[in-house]
Amino acid sequence: MEEKVNAILEVLKARYSDALCALHYDKDYQLMIAVRLSAQCTDARVNLSQHD
């Protein structure tokens, strides 16, 4: 299973090597929460709430 995951990650890295995350975060848990919030509104709105 780990080999399949690593193969998938390599393909994604090669295909989307210049991809950037639109969400702002400092810690991993902030990204997790931001992803959940962005499913309900825009990334820009989520980023606004992180600067309050």
Side-chain angles (χ1 to χ4, degrees):
M1 179 71 159
E2 187 175 336
E3 290 177 14
K4 288 183 181 181
V5 170
N6 289 333
I8 291 169
L9 290 175
E10 290 303 316
V11 169
L12 290 173
K13 286 179 187 177
R15 190 167 292 177
Y16 303 104
S17 60
D18 59 347
L20 299 174
C21 182
L23 297 168
H24 301 163
Y25 65 97
D26 294 319
K27 301 190 183 308
D28 292 342
Y29 76 89
Q30 292 172 326
L31 176 59
M32 180 186 68
I33 293 168
V35 168
R36 291 291 303 247
L37 291 173
S38 70
Q40 299 174 3
C41 62
T42 65
D43 292 348
R45 183 68 181 150
V46 172
N47 288 335
L48 285 175
S49 67
Q50 291 200 10
H51 296 290
D52 292 341

